[in-house]
Amino acid sequence: FGMPFVSLLPRKLLLLTCSCFALPGGPRGALALDALGKHFSQYSQHEFSSVEHRGANNVSLDNHLNTSRGRPAMLRGSQEEFIVDNSQLEARSPGLAYRSSPTLADKSGGVYATWGSKVLGTRRDDGWVETAVGFLPTTINGKSVLVSRSAAHGGIIREQGGRTWWGFPSYTKYLDTGLESWEELTRLHGHFGNMCTAETMLDKCGTSLVCKDGVCGECTVSRDCNEKFRCQYFPTSGRHMCVRRDLSEQWSWREGVCTVLIIITAMLSAAAGMGGGGVYVPLLLLLLDFSTKEAVPLSQAMIVGGATVNIIMFCGERHPKYQRKPKIDYDVVMMLNPGLAAGVTLGVMLNVITPQWIIVLVLILTLVLALQKSLTKGLQQFKRESKALAEQSVQGGGGASTQQTKAAEVKIRLADLGSFASLAQDNARPLTLIVGCWLVFLGANVFKAPQCSTMYWLQLVGLVAICVAFTTAGAQTLRIQGGGGVDSAEGMLAWTPETLWLYPLLSTAAGFLGGFLGIGGGIIMGPLLLELGMVAEASQATTAMFVFLSSSLATIQFMFLGRAMPEYALWFTAWVLVATFVGQTLVDYVLQRWKRSSLIVLSIAGIIGGSLVMMTAVGAKDIIHDIIRGADMGFSPMNLCK
């Protein structure tokens, strides 16, 4: 608070005095000297600003500041006298800030007119008054702050805001409104240079600073900050500070590009029946500088939004080859989902303790193999479809093909609740087991035991046992239904005594890879179902069901933990909902007009390829960062219990 007085002292004497008597040794003393040096020039130019303007002295003071800033001393046009009035705004600041232009945000270097003082200026048509020092607004937030002295009729203007006392600190940002509280003053200056640890960072550094090398200081990147905060540079103070994320206020070209790419990914994911998390997360990390803890919950919200649209559109549809069967193969979901969920749980545990370079290596190998399989299958199917269409055109003289092309039109497809009710009645037992398994995992996630506690390990063993029980119940259901017949036909999974245990094991392996690599199980299940012989349309719908079950569980868990960012989630999820609906509608149109289900398989390959590129880029970036900072590149079992 003695800064205005200190600014009158010679700079060398000031720094010598502070270094000898006022400042402690060590990193905090050095940081305090640095902070004092940065603020020295600001306070020296404000020394006249902390004096109350009274009557005619205000004009001479304006002229003094005016000359020092290089502005002309006189203004053209009719001038009148105004009183700087704080009776309506009731600000806790020392005065009303001058602006360099008629814009509220363009504050003129911390120079202000004290509340209750008089200024001489020319009234403009846009609600501003131009003085010799700068521009002043007549209203702020609809409340009058400048009153013409003639309009006041000699009345007394009371100063109800913060009084300007000797040594009042001048913060440019708060000149009109004042500091919100003493805690705000502490947040701005009291935490800088505090000694801290990872456990005491929030208490010692607040939310604006970060703990680095045991000292509270500036952030470098947004990942240094707490969740839901980003690192932002403030030109006035010359410092990088952590501020709460706000999509509307912090909108830039990065948010725009990220939105467009998410829309494209959602449309492609709709065609594939996948979630798209392998692309969403890297986009948020690379473009918006999110941390993994921020990106994953937001990605899950987008995935569950797209999956919900998919399920609504698929629930009433029937199998393309067998009209008695649903397009979503509930028998497959009943048998494979428990193993998939158990695999994801175990994979996430191993991910926590595994070094990044191993994860990236396994990620590349897995996705390259999946990409090769799906791309090869898609191209082969495309060639078969082209050959079949050519033969059909020759045999029918082109008439049938032309008639189908003309008949095809874009149809808006919504939920067929009547058809779903009929299909649900025929698949009541599989649906009951699916919902039951989902509810068990929901309860385990909501009432999760403390990490590495005895109850935690008992809960984990119990979940694996429950998954085995649900799979056994599903196998018994298939035996009761008879198993053979249409289930062994083309495009359907054949349930035999061998596949009843083999396929659940494969789904467990797929879930383990998805959890270990951080890409989810859906991106592995899509190619797996195609490889097992499921027709593309049924694979698309069934994979969408797997994605919905897993992403809805994750989203609910993140909501209970308070890790959701509503503004970002609403914005991106809304676009994903629209893009998924448009994508599904376009796929239906292509299937009706050109009879090319290979588009679904090629879309799966596209999502896998995009995930391969994006996830590899993010992983390589993290590896380079670990090498630079000398991080341990081995396994870290202790991370499991953090």
Side-chain angles (χ1 to χ4, degrees), residues 132-153:
V133 179
F135 295 89
L136 290 173
T138 57
T139 59
I140 293 180
N141 298 330
K143 297 180 180 180
S144 176
V145 291
L146 272 188
V147 179
S148 173
R149 193 176 186 190
S150 60
H153 301 297

Side-chain angles (χ1 to χ4, degrees), residues 333-334 337 428-442 470 545 548-549 553:
V333 177
M334 172 186 67
N337 189 57
R429 187 175 176 86
L431 283 172
T432 301
L433 291 175
I434 292 170
V435 174
C437 183
W438 185 87
L439 289 174
V440 168
F441 271 87
L442 175 63
F470 272 105
M545 188 66 176
F548 173 77
L549 292 172
L553 279 175

Side-chain angles (χ1 to χ4, degrees), residues 516-534:
F516 175 67
L517 301 176
I519 56 178
I523 198 172
I524 308 294
M525 287 302 298
L528 177 62
L529 293 178
L530 291 174
E531 196 66 22
L532 294 178
M534 183 175 285

Side-chain angles (χ1 to χ4, degrees), residues 411-609:
K411 295 182 179 179
I412 304 299
R413 178 163 54 96
L414 300 175
D416 189 344
L417 297 180
S419 176
F420 171 70
S422 175
L423 292 171
Q425 187 175 3
D426 295 337
N427 294 271
R429 187 175 176 86
L431 283 172
T432 301
L433 291 175
I434 292 170
V435 174
C437 183
W438 185 87
L439 289 174
V440 168
F441 271 87
L442 175 63
N445 287 334
V446 173
F447 303 103
K448 192 173 183 179
Q451 205 79 357
C452 290
S453 64
T454 303
M455 185 57 66
Y456 170 81
W457 297 112
L458 290 175
Q459 191 179 65
L460 182 63
V461 173
L463 279 178
V464 174
I466 289 174
C467 288
V468 173
F470 272 105
T471 304
T472 303
Q476 183 64 26
T477 300
L478 290 177
R479 292 191 186 97
I480 294 174
Q481 292 177 353
V486 71
D487 291 324
S488 59
E490 182 183 0
M492 301 285 292
L493 296 192
W495 294 108
T496 65
E498 181 183 359
T499 59
L500 283 176
W501 62 265
L502 177 60
Y503 288 172
L505 283 180
L506 291 176
S507 70
T508 303
F512 177 83
L513 280 175
F516 175 67
L517 301 176
I519 56 178
I523 198 172
I524 308 294
M525 287 302 298
L528 177 62
L529 293 178
L530 291 174
E531 196 66 22
L532 294 178
M534 183 175 285
V535 69
E537 292 92 327
S539 172
Q540 175 197 27
T542 306
T543 303
M545 188 66 176
F546 282 119
V547 171
F548 173 77
L549 292 172
S550 60
S551 61
S552 58
L553 279 175
T555 301
I556 293 173
Q557 182 179 5
F558 287 135
M559 289 176 63
F560 273 104
L561 294 175
R563 291 174 58 183
M565 292 187 289
E567 189 178 16
Y568 285 87
L570 288 174
W571 171 259
F572 288 115
T573 304
W575 283 110
V576 169
L577 291 172
V578 175
T580 303
F581 179 78
V582 172
Q584 283 289 3
T585 303
L586 291 177
V587 169
D588 287 345
Y589 176 74
V590 171
L591 291 176
Q592 290 177 18
R593 180 167 183 174
W594 289 290
K595 305 297 182 182
R596 290 191 180 275
S597 57
S598 58
L599 174 65
I600 298 174
V601 185
L602 293 175
S603 297
I604 293 175
I607 289 295
I608 294 175

Side-chain angles (χ1 to χ4, degrees), residues 285-434:
L285 294 177
L286 295 175
L287 284 177
L288 303 188
D289 201 19
F290 275 36
S291 66
T292 304
K293 290 184 178 180
E294 294 170 326
V296 172
L298 182 55
S299 171
Q300 289 296 329
M302 291 188 280
I303 292 172
V304 77
T308 301
V309 174
N310 283 332
I311 296 302
I312 290 174
M313 299 180 75
F314 287 140
C315 66
E317 292 200 348
R318 298 178 179 266
H319 197 280
K321 293 189 176 182
Y322 311 102
Q323 289 299 305
R324 292 189 302 105
K325 291 286 184 179
K327 198 172 191 178
I328 301 174
D329 196 327
Y330 295 113
D331 290 342
V332 171
V333 177
M334 172 186 67
M335 288 297 297
L336 304 190
N337 189 57
L340 182 69
V344 169
T345 302
L346 297 175
V348 169
M349 292 176 60
L350 185 60
N351 173 275
V352 173
I353 66 175
T354 305
Q356 187 69 22
W357 66 271
I358 294 181
I359 295 175
V360 173
L361 182 61
V362 177
L363 173 73
I364 294 174
L365 293 175
T366 303
L367 292 187
V368 165
L369 179 62
L371 177 61
Q372 186 269 331
K373 291 286 186 181
S374 57
L375 186 59
T376 300
K377 185 176 287 290
L379 293 176
Q380 290 176 349
Q381 186 172 345
F382 183 84
K383 292 178 181 178
R384 290 197 302 268
E385 291 168 350
S386 299
K387 184 178 179 181
L389 289 174
E391 292 176 354
Q392 182 181 0
S393 178
V394 171
Q395 293 175 1
S401 178
T402 304
Q403 186 177 1
Q404 287 179 355
T405 300
K406 290 181 179 179
E409 59 182 14
V410 178
K411 295 182 179 179
I412 304 299
R413 178 163 54 96
L414 300 175
D416 189 344
L417 297 180
S419 176
F420 171 70
S422 175
L423 292 171
Q425 187 175 3
D426 295 337
N427 294 271
R429 187 175 176 86
L431 283 172
T432 301
L433 291 175
I434 292 170

Side-chain angles (χ1 to χ4, degrees), residues 219 251 267 424 445 531 630:
C219 57
W251 180 271
M267 294 179 66
N445 287 334
E531 196 66 22

Side-chain angles (χ1 to χ4, degrees), residues 114-190:
T114 309
W115 297 121
S117 65
K118 292 173 286 186
V119 295
L120 193 64
T122 303
R123 186 187 295 272
R124 293 163 52 97
D125 294 335
D126 55 2
W128 287 79
V129 171
E130 185 174 3
T131 71
V133 179
F135 295 89
L136 290 173
T138 57
T139 59
I140 293 180
N141 298 330
K143 297 180 180 180
S144 176
V145 291
L146 272 188
V147 179
S148 173
R149 193 176 186 190
S150 60
H153 301 297
I156 298 176
I157 303 297
R158 295 180 56 198
E159 183 179 346
Q160 297 181 4
R163 177 168 173 77
T164 303
W165 58 81
W166 180 83
F168 190 92
S170 298
Y171 299 97
T172 303
K173 179 181 177 182
Y174 300 102
L175 279 179
D176 291 334
T177 59
L179 290 169
E180 295 181 1
S181 63
W182 285 105
E183 288 75 12
E184 182 76 1
L185 178 63
T186 303
R187 184 185 69 82
L188 289 173
H189 285 276

